[in-house]
């Protein structure tokens, strides 16, 4: 159908690789990203990101995401928040975070 695209997120395959050892806080987490589409010529990406159980540090890009499955605790600036399916989260570029994934997490991101 012209002008309409449907992306079956349940069918999106995400290949995992071990997290960068310098970012790992605990466990042996793996993670991966699959680009699904972009918004025209804006450079805005929409994709699926996953991480297995474990804890990693990250420095964020400007991003909005919806948790599709799993759970995590995201810590930044001395505060923490638990996220799970259905939660919409906004990350600000440059924010140093720690992700403690307690159940393999899958999110749809816009960045």
């Amino acid at each position: 159908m012209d002008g309409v695209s449907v992306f079956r997120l349940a069918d999106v395959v995400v290949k995992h690789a071990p997290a960068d050892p310098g970012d790992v806080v605990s466990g042996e987490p793996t993670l991966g990203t699959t680009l699904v589409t972009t918004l025209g010529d804006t450079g805005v990406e929409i994709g699926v990101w996953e991480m297995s159980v474990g804890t990693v540090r990250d420095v964020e890009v400007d991003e909005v995401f919806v948790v599709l499955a799993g759970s995590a605790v995201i810590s930044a600036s001395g505060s923490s928040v638990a996220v799970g399916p259905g939660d919409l989260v906004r990350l600000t570029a440059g924010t140093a975070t720690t992700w403690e994934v307690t159940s393999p997490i899958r999110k749809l991101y816009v960045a």
Side-chain angles (χ1 to χ4, degrees), residues 52-93:
S52 67
V53 172
T55 306
V56 298
R57 288 184 212 84
D58 195 15
V59 176
E60 303 300 338
V61 299
D62 266 337
E63 176 183 341
V64 173
F65 68 85
V66 176
V67 178
L68 301 173
S71 58
V73 175
I74 305 169
S75 300
S77 303
S79 297
S80 298
V81 63
V83 298
D87 288 339
L88 175 69
V89 180
R90 169 76 164 88
L91 300 172
T92 303

Side-chain angles (χ1 to χ4, degrees), residues 3-23:
V4 177
S5 299
V6 176
F7 303 97
R8 309 262 181 233
L9 297 179
D11 296 336
V12 173
V13 176
V14 177
K15 290 187 177 187
H16 283 231
D20 183 315
D23 296 335

Side-chain angles (χ1 to χ4, degrees), residues 40-51:
D41 295 332
T42 66
V44 175
E45 295 183 357
I46 301 167
V48 176
W49 177 89
E50 294 180 346
M51 183 177 148

